[in-house]
Each structure stands twice: as structure tokens, then as C-alpha cells.
Amino acid sequence: MLRKILIALLALTILAAAAFFVFAPGFLERNLNPVTAPPEGWPVSAEAQALHDRLVIGDWHADALLWDRDLLARGTRGHTDIPRLAEGNVAVQVYTTVTKSPRGQNYSQNSAEAPDNITPLFIGQLRPIRSWTSLKQRALVQAEALQRYARTAPDQLRLILTRADLDAVLADRAAGGRAVGILLGSEGAHPLEGNLANLDTLYDAGFRLLGLTHFFDNRIGGSLHGQGDQGLTAFGRQVVDEMMARDMIIDLAHASPQLIRDVLAIDGTRPILSHTGIRSHCDTPRNIDDTLIRQIAAKGGLIGIGYWSDVVCGQTPADIAGAIWAAIAVAGEDHVSLGSDYDGSVDAPFDVAGLAALTQALLDAGLTEAQIAKVMGGNMLRYLSEMLPQG
């Protein structure tokens, strides 16, 4: 009898573990990446839809690679996948790899020594064991998944590594193709693990954009949410110099004010701020001071406006449009773009398939069609055509 009980308990334990690995990551994603649209959806006029369909759209930031679901299949959770990007008429999407997130993460202050949220997520998703203990390997595993998608479905997804790749994607779409161009980036440069040689490893894996910091201070410099307003370290200066030598895009999202000033002071830098709001429009600690926004624009950089309530102070397309208007007032219409932060543990008023709701909101807010074309993708694509490696 005891033997039967033990076998039954073992079976129940195995079933419970299997259920956890199958259902827990999806449950977590659904809760962390909600869509707050009304059941009937947001109204989109025929005029707005027609304009939206003519646009060439680009977005600076989404974290879907973190969640280990099939991005070639239309999902029922989260904000993006390749079919929904195509439905939303997105031409170019930056997918970033997330490798570390401190327990108790907040916008005010986080310790780099805090327990990490991403490690148990990767274990729970049964990602390769090498990614459980190495941030570099964690980034590479996500990059490898993207590369597999590109090999499997080149008619749906193409990796953008060079200006020539970008031109090919845009030419194909102009001729009626629907493949989405994906640019690979990293949410913070801590996957370098303090070793400059790892920049070549990431570059060879397809990374063309690096955020310098995320929610904690690292060996590159200070985070907006770190412990004190720390600037660029000596190692961070080496990383910036080597990124510039490789025509890699420097992303200052989550950077401390001093780190931003230090990067801007380096001759030749032209960084972006991939996902943010405007402090004068939405006064929260996640949004940096307007002065720094102006300084990034003055160096030829771009500001990507996010969609989530913490940066736009609302949960409707109109709230995002208001943040975009504020960004134009601060940075100028040639320096504003989209930076949704889709799938980044944030709320959004629509998933990417419903992106036409933003075009409607921008029309309603009084932007001209030319301004909408710039913000929705024109500015980003111009920047990429000037900054990516030649190829």
C-alpha cells in the first residue's frame, strides 16, 4: 500500500510540475501584458484606415522574444507576433532581448544585487540550460530563436543587419510583399558581462542596437532607476566607442541623466531614446527631463513614444497621441517616433494588430498626414538608413 501511495504522490508531483511548465509562463504573460481596449475595440474611420494602410510604419521597442512563444503564429496573449505585426501594417520592428530584471523592480531605485526575475522565467520556460546562469547566453538564446523564425518563414520575417537589408525589405513591401523587417536589440548592455570582446559576439549574432542600461546600474554606467545618478564608466566609454565603430545604435532608454549627458558629450554620438514619455506631459519618474529630450534631438537622435499608462498618463489611443503631440513640441516633428514597449510587462490600449487606432487618434488630435507619416515610421526609417552598417 505504501508503495502505491508513493507512486501516486510521485505521479501527482510530475503532473504538477508539467502543468507549471506548460501553463505558468503563459498565465504570467497574460497578466503582465494586458490589452485595455474596450470589448468592441476602438473606432477607426475609413479615412484613418486608408491612411494607415499607406503608411510605412516602424517601432523601436518590443520584448516578445522574452516569452518563448511561437512568434510565427498569431497569438492570443501579449501584444505582438509576426502575423499581428503584418495585420497592423508594421514594416520594421525592433525586438529586444531581456536578460535581467531585479526583484521588486520599480522606477525609483533598484540594486544590481537584487534577486533576478528573468532567471526563474527562463527555467520555467525550459530554455537551454546555458542561459540559466549567463546573461550573454540568455541574449544569444533569444537571438537564435529570432534567427530560426527568419530561416523558417522568409516570406513573413526578414532580419535587418545592414542598410541594404532595410532597403530590400522596403522595396519588397512597396512591390506588395508583406514580410516584416526585424532589427535585433538588447535591453541593457549587461550581456557583455564586462568583456568588450563580447560586443563582437553580440554583433555576429545580429545585434545592431544596444540599450546601455536597464533597471539597475551596470558596468557601463548608471540607470535612471539605479542607486544614484551615476554616469558613464571607463568601460562604458569603451563600449560606446566600439559601438560607434561598428555603426551600432546607442539606446539611452533607462539611462540616468548623467549617463545621457556623458554620452551626448562624446563627439559623433547620435543616440536614440527608444521608449519613453514626455516629462512635461506626464510627470512620472519613468520620464526624463524635457531638457535632455531636446539635447538628444539636437544631436540628431530620435525619441520613441511608448504606449503604456506609466509614460502617457492614460490608457487610450488619445493619451498616446497627446504624448506624441508633447514630444513634437519638445523635440520637433523630425525627431519623434514610436517606441511601444510591447510585451515588456506593460499595459497597452491595443495590440499591434489594432495599431490603426493610433492613426485615428493622431488625426483626431490634429496632426497632418505628413506629420503622422514621420512619427509612425518615416523618422525611424530615415535614421536607420543613415546609421546602420552599409552592407
Side-chain angles (χ1 to χ4, degrees), residues 61-69 71 94-101 116-119 121-123 125 127-128 130-132 134-151 157 159 182-188 190-191 202 205-207 214 342-344:
H61 196 90
D63 294 324
L65 292 170
L66 174 64
W67 300 104
D68 195 32
R69 52 183 161 86
L71 296 184
V94 176
Y95 269 156
T96 46
T97 62
V98 180
T99 55
K100 183 177 177 181
S101 169
D116 172 40
N117 290 323
I118 307 302
T119 299
L121 178 63
F122 265 58
I123 294 172
Q125 292 177 340
R127 297 284 186 109
R130 61 189 166 93
S131 69
W132 296 5
S134 166
L135 301 186
K136 180 181 76 172
Q137 292 300 327
R138 203 168 287 175
L140 293 176
V141 161
Q142 293 174 74
E144 289 160 10
L146 182 61
Q147 291 159 2
R148 286 195 300 273
Y149 295 138
R151 289 194 302 270
L157 161 65
L159 292 180
I182 302 293
L183 193 75
L184 182 60
S186 176
E187 184 92 87
H190 33 277
L202 295 184
F207 287 85
H214 194 207
Y342 272 148
D343 298 309

Side-chain angles (χ1 to χ4, degrees), residues 342-386:
Y342 272 148
D343 298 309
S345 300
V346 295
D347 59 278
F350 44 78
D351 70 3
V352 71
L355 187 56
L358 180 56
T359 300
Q360 179 70 66
L362 293 173
L363 282 171
D364 293 343
L367 272 74
T368 67
E369 290 193 9
Q371 289 174 318
I372 292 171
K374 288 181 178 182
V375 168
M376 293 290 282
N379 289 336
M380 175 184 177
L381 297 175
R382 183 195 70 245
Y383 178 97
L384 290 175
S385 71
E386 296 167 353

Side-chain angles (χ1 to χ4, degrees), residues 6-27:
L6 291 174
I7 291 172
L9 287 173
L10 178 60
L12 287 173
T13 300
I14 292 171
L15 286 172
F20 172 83
F21 288 124
V22 170
F23 297 111
F27 176 81

Side-chain angles (χ1 to χ4, degrees), residues 259-315:
L259 179 57
I260 293 174
R261 287 189 285 267
D262 289 347
V263 170
L264 291 174
I266 297 172
D267 186 46
T269 53
R270 188 181 172 186
I272 66 164
L273 189 62
S274 65
H275 54 301
T276 188
I278 301 300
R279 192 67 177 263
S280 58
H281 170 258
C282 180
D283 189 7
T284 70
R286 175 59 179 81
N287 294 335
I288 64 170
D289 185 85
D290 288 12
T291 300
L292 292 174
I293 296 285
R294 292 189 188 94
Q295 291 173 358
I296 293 169
K299 290 212 72 173
L302 295 187
I303 311 301
I305 297 301
Y307 299 172
W308 73 108
S309 53
D310 290 342
V311 296
V312 301
C313 288
Q315 291 187 313

